[in-house]
Amino acid sequence: MAAQATYEFKAEIKQLLEILVHSLYTEREIFLRELVSNASDALDKLRITTADSATDDDAPLEIRIEADKDKKTLTISDNGIGMTEAELVENIGTIAHSGSASFLKALKDSGGSADGIIGRFGVGFYSVYMVADSVCIRTRSHREGSLAVEWTSDGQGAYTIRELTSGNGAEDGETVARGTSIEVRLKDDQAEQFTDVEGLRHIIRKHSNFIGFPILVNGERANTVPALWREPKFQITKEQYKEFYSFLTYDMDEPMDVLHTSVDAPVQFNALCFLPEKSKDFMGFDREDWGLDLYVRRVLIQHQNKDLIPQYLMFTRGVVDTEDLPLNISRETLQDNRLIRKINTTLTKQILGQLGKMAEDKEKYAKFWREHSRVFKAGYMDFVNRETFSGLLRFNSSACEAADDLVSFDDYISRAKLDQKKIYFAFGPSREALKLNPHLEIFRKKGVEVLYLFEPIDEFVMDALHTYKEFEMVPAEVAKPEDLAKLPDVETEAPTDSAPAPEKDALEALLLRVKAVLGDGVADVRASSRLTGSPCCLVNPDGHTTSSMDKIMRSMNHDNSVPKKVLELNPNHALVRNLADLNQSDGNDPFVEQAARQLFESALLLEGYLTDPHALVGRVQDLLTKSSGWYAKSK
Ligand code: ADP
């Protein structure tokens, strides 16, 4: 072949160059990321092809960047695989080999403005023309007997290739070192910035910090942190993990847990994930500040990618590195990417598995739960991992001694009564409030555990899960007293307010009277079999909606009306017994009416439905006045 030849660029490359040369894009520094990652690929390829045989020299594999202020040049060299002349024409001369193709397509789709999309694409080698007047590539393939070749172009439409032989004024091609060096002759207005050594080091650290080969800027190493996720686990110390975690998150605390994993199928990826000690989700701020950093072969492709993990695991910080994606993949393509979805599926399972392991240490898991459960609970929508997710939920319950004790569904099931195929739960503002909830009295009497729910999302979780290991989730409030009645009592002491139930007729008459007094305010009035210590409670007539859920639904529909409920009276309560007696002797006794209203409004108050407390307060004051008079007389 001729020792020197000039070729025209293909039309599409001309178009690309035209755009890049005239671009006003400000972050031109990304050209360095592209050249460094090409160099790193070339080193990787050499390592793979020569895995078992020694290379022709013992020099360490590295990337050198030399800046020359006076000559206004920047040279990026690697002692990687190099290119033969044919490869050079094929690789650099055709767009099929470059990220440029997808860039051009996106450019077309975007209606022609390049500046908005340059940074989001790996524009490849040609991005160098954003800063270069001309570029000179010198390369020699690792293949035995290869001659060195030189490629030069000012990016104006043509390039020249010549063999580097002693005959044409250049050094002898066979003595040129293996690998590739790219000399960038900087544009005048870019020379200052891209020959500044500190600036260059900063750019390397920003975009290429985890490249697996040393990157030397004017002889000094610039990439400081090794790509820890690609290193064998057993070689990594706890301190290294912590250091990397701090580098990644700026969090100076130690991470609570580390997940370091390497997966080959169904998709290849390495991941290094951390569980921070503290939640960032306080008060719901910074909702967008999450995601894993996505690397392709140690090159950062996207910071905080939100498709790699589900949102309910957003407390996980870390990186994912895959070999299965091209370096120059666009964000648009990433968003609905099958590979990313596969990584997500695998990683989700692994993180849940890791949490499962952590749960064996109750104290540690409680810490996790305190910090991250608010976010984690949204996982009730992950139907694929429902069983595992459910197993990781924790609640306070009636069986706990302290407010911060936690139980799992499995703990609950292990204590369930014979034939109890239900998990009972109740929603309330606090443990104290739930202890006083009349609906839970029968559970105490029968020794049946009730999970305590304190946050509105808890009820959605229960509703969505519906079952766990064949146990049905049932709100204590709508539990059927018959289901519990069969169980033997565990509370032997009768409540102090208890009294023998009134005769059937007297009770019936009282129920009718109370219903007449309350009229349209209630759906029905009936005797209760669920109460022990309280005189009354309200239940939903449909038998399945809880009052807390009902309230959420109503507030969503801007409905402020008071729902019609069934008032249940406890026949074994002294107050009910007295009222029945009074009603028996005088069917119009005004005290019965007053007491009926008072009981009903107190029950409404407990359920949070009483909007106007005036009547109730007036009645309480009237009753206190009367009773204090009687009390004073009897003293
Ligand atoms: P991409 O890296 O997306 O393939 P580029 O335009 O950056 O696109 O590079 C085109 C091709 O040129 C690369 O795929 C590679 O085969 C070759 N190449 C670029 N730089 C080097 C290098 N330093 N050493 C060896 N080959 C290289």
Side-chain angles (χ1 to χ4, degrees):
M1 67 156 290
Q4 173 159 338
T6 299
Y7 304 87
E8 281 280 302
F9 280 122
K10 296 259 161 57
E12 46 193 0
I13 295 186
K14 275 191 193 159
Q15 186 195 350
L16 177 66
L17 283 167
E18 176 80 6
I19 293 163
L20 291 168
V21 168
H22 295 110
S23 159
L24 295 175
Y25 185 60
T26 44
E27 278 188 69
R28 294 172 181 219
E29 65 188 37
I30 58 139
F31 84 90
L32 200 55
R33 175 187 76 186
E34 300 295 316
L35 296 188
V36 165
S37 88
N38 279 351
S40 166
D41 283 351
L43 290 165
D44 265 333
K45 282 180 200 156
L46 181 80
R47 200 152 55 176
I48 292 162
T49 40
T50 58
D52 300 319
S53 58
T55 52
D56 52 357
D57 61 44
D58 291 332
L61 299 182
E62 59 191 18
I63 300 164
R64 294 182 161 273
I65 298 174
E66 299 288 335
D68 189 323
K69 259 194 181 347
D70 301 331
K71 287 200 206 147
K72 297 184 183 169
T73 58
L74 185 66
T75 308
I76 295 96
S77 330
D78 63 75
N79 49 353
I81 197 158
M83 284 176 272
T84 62
E85 179 168 350
E87 283 167 343
L88 190 58
V89 174
E90 162 83 9
N91 293 341
I92 304 290
T94 60
I95 209 150
H97 270 276
S98 139
S100 323
S102 46
F103 169 74
L104 279 178
K105 184 178 176 304
L107 184 65
K108 235 184 236 159
D109 296 348
S110 79
S113 158
D115 292 351
I117 47 178
I118 288 179
R120 290 187 280 138
F121 284 83
V123 197
F125 166 75
Y126 294 107
S127 59
V128 73
Y129 285 101
M130 289 193 293
V131 300
D133 270 338
S134 74
V135 178
C136 173
I137 305 175
R138 291 191 185 90
T139 180
R140 187 164 73 77
S141 165
H142 76 295
R143 276 182 244 273
E144 237 186 285
S146 297
L147 284 179
V149 267
E150 185 184 82
W151 178 104
T152 18
S153 173
D154 58 6
Q156 298 294 322
Y159 62 94
T160 301
I161 289 191
R162 61 171 185 158
E163 278 175 1
L164 289 180
T165 61
S166 41
N168 62 12
E171 54 208 300
D172 186 334
E174 281 189 79
T175 65
V176 173
R178 179 204 67 235
T180 304
S181 90
I182 297 177
E183 187 184 292
V184 182
R185 295 168 192 153
L186 293 159
K187 290 182 184 182
D188 282 343
D189 61 344
Q190 304 295 325
E192 173 91 26
Q193 183 184 356
F194 293 112
T195 52
D196 174 54
V197 173
E198 261 323 296
L200 289 168
R201 294 164 68 80
H202 178 77
I203 297 170
I204 295 297
R205 275 201 293 271
K206 182 165 158 201
H207 298 289
S208 316
N209 212 1
F210 301 117
I211 291 287
F213 302 96
I215 304 172
L216 303 149
V217 178
N218 282 19
E220 230 185 285
R221 181 145 184 186
N223 56 336
T224 46
V225 184
L228 216 55
W229 61 86
R230 308 263 294 219
E231 312 270 315
K233 249 163 129 165
F234 64 90
Q235 281 181 7
I236 305 175
T237 63
K238 216 175 153 203
E239 284 66 39
Q240 277 178 297
Y241 278 133
K242 181 176 181 290
E243 196 186 322
F244 182 77
Y245 171 71
S246 311
F247 170 83
L248 194 76
T249 58
Y250 304 110
D251 180 356
M252 290 303 138
D253 291 336
E254 231 171 88
M256 198 182 280
D257 212 357
V258 181
L259 172 68
H260 187 176
T261 182
S262 175
V263 175
D264 288 317
V267 51
Q268 187 286 330
F269 72 93
N270 291 307
L272 179 52
C273 296
F274 298 94
L275 197 64
E277 183 104 350
K278 293 263 175 308
S279 168
K280 290 182 78 187
D281 183 54
F282 60 97
M283 321 274 288
F285 289 135
D286 247 356
R287 275 274 166 192
E288 281 310 299
D289 185 15
W290 66 281
L292 302 183
D293 292 348
L294 175 66
Y295 286 80
V296 171
R297 279 167 278 142
R298 296 191 180 92
V299 177
L300 179 63
I301 298 299
Q302 196 184 11
H303 182 52
Q304 297 192 328
N305 177 297
K306 294 184 174 53
D307 298 315
L308 288 165
I309 41 167
Q311 191 162 5
Y312 75 93
L313 299 177
M314 68 195 264
F315 42 78
T316 312
R317 310 300 302 269
V319 306
V320 168
D321 188 327
T322 176
E323 309 234 338
D324 290 353
L325 284 173
L327 250 189
N328 44 38
I329 187 156
S330 76
R331 292 219 180 145
E332 284 73 12
T333 327
L334 271 179
Q335 246 174 24
D336 193 29
N337 188 289
R338 216 164 45 88
L339 272 168
I340 299 283
R341 276 202 303 275
K342 277 190 187 162
I343 295 178
N344 181 315
T345 307
T346 310
L347 203 52
T348 303
K349 284 199 176 12
Q350 295 218 0
I351 297 173
L352 293 177
Q354 184 85 358
L355 289 174
K357 260 188 247 152
M358 194 163 104
E360 289 165 17
D361 179 343
K362 278 197 163 43
E363 218 172 288
K364 190 169 175 189
Y365 195 72
K367 234 172 160 185
F368 159 78
W369 194 252
R370 270 197 301 279
E371 281 301 318
H372 302 296
S373 60
R374 278 184 51 187
V375 167
F376 182 73
K377 283 174 189 171
Y380 71 87
M381 288 186 270
D382 181 352
F383 294 108
V384 177
N385 296 298
R386 194 150 76 173
E387 182 98 357
T388 320
F389 167 80
S390 307
L392 291 166
L393 289 171
R394 295 293 180 272
F395 303 88
N396 193 246
S397 89
S398 57
C400 296
E401 301 207 332
D404 53 4
D405 286 350
L406 293 170
V407 301
S408 66
F409 285 143
D410 288 312
D411 295 332
Y412 183 101
I413 288 174
S414 71
R415 290 189 284 259
K417 300 281 176 189
L418 193 70
D419 293 335
Q420 180 196 333
K421 280 286 172 213
K422 298 191 164 70
I423 295 175
Y424 293 106
F425 63 88
F427 178 80
S430 68
R431 204 172 145 79
E432 287 62 39
L434 281 165
K435 275 187 184 161
L436 296 174
N437 183 331
H439 292 281
L440 302 192
E441 288 172 359
I442 188 166
F443 291 88
R444 263 195 295 281
K445 185 172 165 193
K446 302 292 180 182
V448 173
E449 184 172 359
V450 176
L451 298 177
Y452 289 168
L453 276 45
F454 300 126
E455 289 173 18
I457 188 176
D458 293 339
E459 250 186 309
F460 285 99
V461 173
M462 294 301 202
D463 210 42
L465 297 182
H466 198 60
T467 52
Y468 179 72
K469 295 186 178 169
E470 292 168 16
F471 276 66
E472 189 193 348
M473 316 279 174
V474 179
E477 191 184 325
V478 302
K480 291 198 183 73
E482 314 83 91
D483 282 353
L484 295 154
K486 333 185 250 255
L487 299 169
D489 293 358
V490 291
E491 260 184 20
T492 44
E493 256 179 63
T496 46
D497 293 335
S498 73
E503 295 294 323
K504 195 165 173 277
D505 291 350
L507 182 62
E508 287 297 322
L510 176 67
L511 295 174
L512 282 175
R513 174 88 196 279
V514 175
K515 184 155 171 46
V517 169
L518 301 178
D520 268 358
V522 287
D524 197 6
V525 178
R526 65 184 179 216
S528 181
S529 52
R530 74 181 84 229
L531 299 171
T532 56
S534 302
C536 70
C537 70
L538 288 171
V539 290
N540 239 331
D542 70 7
H544 56 79
T545 316
T546 64
S547 56
S548 45
M549 196 60 115
D550 188 53
K551 252 176 267 163
I552 294 173
M553 302 316 248
R554 278 164 186 277
S555 77
M556 288 201 294
N557 295 327
H558 304 289
D559 178 355
N560 298 322
S561 65
V562 178
K564 260 196 205 177
K565 300 234 184 184
V566 175
L567 178 70
E568 286 192 359
L569 295 181
N570 176 3
N572 292 103
H573 195 281
L575 173 55
V576 175
R577 163 90 208 201
N578 292 342
L579 291 176
D581 289 350
L582 282 173
N583 189 52
Q584 272 299 76
S585 50
D586 176 0
N588 291 314
D589 191 321
F591 181 80
V592 176
E593 181 177 336
Q594 198 177 25
R597 291 192 194 285
Q598 192 63 24
L599 282 175
F600 175 56
E601 287 193 7
S602 315
L604 280 180
L605 183 66
L606 275 184
E607 304 249 330
Y609 285 120
L610 192 72
T611 40
D612 182 1
H614 283 94
L616 178 131
V617 172
R619 241 180 272 116
V620 168
Q621 284 165 355
D622 182 43
L623 288 170
L624 277 176
T625 313
K626 283 179 187 151
S627 60
S628 61
W630 297 323
Y631 184 57
K633 260 186 226 154
S634 73
K635 264 236 152 176

